[in-house]
């Protein structure tokens, strides 16, 4: 919660500026001691499909490139 309002900065993982995957990386590392891949592509390749019900901490990826390359986050 202390990072709410932090600036967005492409390619950064904190401690005071983040991009999307940098925030995920830093949150999981600091809160749970987990070393996740740093990039969105890395996270997508590292993970597995979640089954219902979803749980706190599950990461969701959406394919917004209809007809685009499979697996493109």
């Amino acid at each position: 919660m202390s990072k709410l309002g932090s600036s967005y900065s492409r390619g950064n993982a904190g401690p005071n500026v983040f991009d999307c995957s940098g925030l995920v990386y830093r949150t999981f590392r600091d809160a749970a001691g987990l070393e996740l891949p740093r990039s969105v592509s890395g996270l997508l390749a590292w993970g597995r499909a979640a089954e219902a019900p979803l749980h706190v901490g599950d990461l969701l990826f959406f394919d917004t490139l209809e007809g685009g390359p499979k697996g493109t986050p």
Side-chain angles (χ1 to χ4, degrees):
M1 293 302 289
S2 67
K3 301 304 179 189
L4 282 175
S6 294
S7 298
Y8 177 87
S9 180
R10 187 171 192 263
N12 284 297
N16 296 311
V17 294
F18 300 92
D19 66 7
C20 303
S21 58
L23 180 60
V24 169
Y25 170 82
R26 187 75 175 222
T27 300
F28 276 80
R29 190 192 77 182
D30 292 355
L34 297 173
E35 290 288 334
L36 272 59
R38 174 59 188 85
S39 68
V40 171
S41 296
L43 287 167
L44 184 61
W46 173 81
R48 60 181 169 75
E51 298 192 18
L54 298 176
H55 302 284
V56 171
D58 286 348
L59 301 176
L60 303 178
F61 296 86
F62 298 90
D63 179 2
T64 60
L65 300 174
E66 186 176 335
K70 183 176 173 132
T72 302

